[in-house]
Amino acid sequence: MKFGFQSAILDGLSFEEVIDFAAEQKFECVEIMCWPKGKAERKYAGVTHLDVADFTEGDAAHVKAYCAAKGVEISALGYYPNPLTPDLDEAAVYINHIKKVIDASVLLGINLVTTFVGNDWTKSVDANWPRFREVWGDILAYAEARKVRIGIENCAMYFTDDEWPAGKNLAYSPAIWRRMFEEFSTPYFGLNYDPSHFVWMQMDYIKPLGEFMPRFFHAHAKDVKLDRTRLDEVGTMATPLSYHDPRIPGRGDIDWGKYVSGLKAAGYDGAFCIEVEDSDYEGSLEDRKRSLIESAAHLRQFL
C-alpha cells in the first residue's frame, strides 16, 4: 500500500503547496481534488487543487515533473458530485466535468478517478436504477475507452435533512455493489472504500475485504465516533449527524490494526489515503495540517 491523504482538507493551498506538505511529512501519495472553480455546494466540497477545465499536455508535464521532484505520487483525481440529481441541467454539468477529470487522468498517466455514483434521494433504489444505467453506461464507456478506472466511494451522502430519505449516493452497501457490478461488469468500475460509513450504518466494515477486494481501486482512512446514548434517543431513522461524528483515525470506533491487517491479508496494494472531516480540527490551516500529521502518526504503527 502507498500511504497518503485526500487534499480536500488543505483547501486554500496551491497544488504545489499540497505536494510540498506531503513531501515534508513523508507521505507517498495524494488524492488530488479537482472540483470546478467556484462556490462549494457543501462542506469539504468545491476544492480545486487541479483545475481540469482546460487541462493541457503542458499542464500535465508540470504536474508530473513537480511530483517527481518531490517524490510524491498522485493516487487519483477526486471529484464527488451527484450526477443522478433530479435537476437534469445540474446533472449535465457534473457529468461533463467527470469526463474532464477522466481526460486529465489520462494526460497525467494516473488513470484513476474517484467519485460518487449519485442518487435521486427522493426515490428508491429500484426507481433510481434506469437513470443510473443510462448515466453510468455513458460515463463508463467514456472511461473504458481511455483505460481509466472509476473508484466509487461508499458514502451514502445521507447526513442532514436536505438529503432525506435516501441520500445522494446510491453505492453505499454490498447488496447495491453486487447489483452495480452485475449491471456493468467492466474491470474499470470499482470502489474507493471508506470503512467509516459502515460504522454509522451498523455494518461490518471488514467483510467487504473478501468478496469485493478485486474492486478495491483506492481506499480512504477516516474514523467515526458513534454516540450510542444519542442513538438510543433518536434511532437510526434520525438524520445520521444527530448520532455520530466523523473523526480522524484513532479518535473513533474503527479498529485500525484489525482493518489494516485485513487489507494486507486480502492483498490490497493500492493507495491508502487519510480523509479528514473532523470538526475539532477546522479552526485554522495549522489545525488542518495537524489533523493529517496526527492521523499519520496513529496509522503508521499499523502500516
Side-chain angles (χ1 to χ4, degrees), residues 243-286:
Y243 58 82
H244 90 279
D245 291 296
R247 291 294 178 227
I248 64 169
R251 298 187 71 220
D253 294 336
I254 291 177
D255 182 334
W256 289 99
K258 181 180 180 182
Y259 176 62
V260 172
S261 296
L263 284 174
K264 290 180 178 180
Y268 181 69
D269 61 359
F272 184 58
C273 289
I274 298 163
E275 181 186 17
V276 177
E277 295 182 353
D278 191 324
S279 59
D280 289 347
Y281 291 82
E282 294 174 348
S284 67
L285 175 60
E286 289 310 307

Side-chain angles (χ1 to χ4, degrees), residues 111-156:
N111 297 90
L112 178 58
V113 169
T114 45
T115 189
F116 290 147
V117 162
N119 196 33
D120 180 344
W121 61 98
T122 68
K123 296 180 178 180
S124 68
V125 172
D126 285 344
N128 266 279
W129 210 259
R131 185 133 175 268
F132 162 72
R133 185 186 298 117
E134 175 188 355
V135 168
W136 279 93
D138 172 60
I139 293 172
L140 289 169
Y142 191 89
E144 185 166 7
R146 290 154 181 80
K147 294 182 169 53
V148 173
R149 296 185 300 163
I150 306 292
I152 301 296
E153 186 179 349
N154 57 296
C155 177

Side-chain angles (χ1 to χ4, degrees), residues 159-238:
F159 299 109
T160 52
D161 289 338
D162 65 318
E163 295 162 340
W164 187 89
K168 294 184 177 179
N169 184 39
L170 191 64
Y172 57 81
S173 73
I176 296 174
W177 301 345
R178 288 187 199 100
R179 188 173 175 181
M180 283 170 35
F181 298 139
E182 287 171 6
E183 186 73 55
F184 298 112
S185 60
T186 171
Y188 291 91
F189 194 32
L191 298 169
N192 178 20
Y193 185 62
D194 184 334
S196 70
H197 303 302
F198 272 42
V199 174
W200 67 261
M201 288 193 288
Q202 316 289 304
M203 299 159 72
D204 186 331
Y205 57 87
I206 299 296
K207 280 185 178 179
L209 307 189
E211 177 183 352
F212 294 99
M213 184 51 60
R215 298 284 185 173
F216 275 39
F217 294 171
H218 198 269
H220 277 171
K222 185 168 89 256
D223 215 333
V224 65
K225 187 67 177 176
L226 200 62
D227 185 338
R228 291 284 175 181
T229 301
R230 182 64 178 158
L231 182 58
D232 288 342
E233 289 292 315
V234 301
T236 58
M237 293 298 290

Side-chain angles (χ1 to χ4, degrees), residues 3 25 27 249 274 290-303:
F3 189 38
Q25 298 300 323
F27 286 106
I274 298 163
R290 184 165 56 87
S291 73
L292 291 169
I293 293 168
E294 292 183 9
S295 297
H298 182 76
L299 292 172
R300 281 191 167 114
Q301 64 183 313
F302 308 113
L303 295 170

Side-chain angles (χ1 to χ4, degrees), residues 6-135:
Q6 188 204 68
S7 73
I9 195 63
L10 297 182
D11 188 18
L13 296 187
S14 68
F15 166 77
E16 290 82 4
E17 288 169 332
V18 169
I19 298 302
D20 289 347
F21 174 79
E24 289 163 7
Q25 298 300 323
K26 296 182 170 51
F27 286 106
E28 297 168 281
C29 62
V30 182
E31 179 191 2
I32 292 290
M33 294 298 98
C34 299
W35 288 78
K37 288 194 171 180
K39 184 180 178 181
E41 63 183 52
R42 65 175 189 272
K43 193 175 180 180
Y44 304 114
V47 179
T48 312
H49 284 129
L50 274 186
D51 183 1
V52 302
D54 296 297
F55 200 69
T56 67
E57 290 186 1
D59 295 327
H62 166 72
V63 168
K64 288 191 283 188
Y66 201 88
C67 288
K70 297 293 181 175
V72 177
E73 296 182 13
I74 297 176
S75 63
L77 299 185
Y79 172 52
Y80 296 86
N82 181 4
L84 299 185
T85 177
D87 184 326
L88 298 185
D89 291 336
E90 182 183 350
V93 171
Y94 298 153
I95 294 164
N96 181 60
H97 194 73
I98 288 172
K99 291 178 178 179
K100 289 181 182 294
V101 179
I102 290 170
D103 290 339
S105 180
V106 174
L107 289 177
L108 289 166
I110 299 165
N111 297 90
L112 178 58
V113 169
T114 45
T115 189
F116 290 147
V117 162
N119 196 33
D120 180 344
W121 61 98
T122 68
K123 296 180 178 180
S124 68
V125 172
D126 285 344
N128 266 279
W129 210 259
R131 185 133 175 268
F132 162 72
R133 185 186 298 117
E134 175 188 355
V135 168

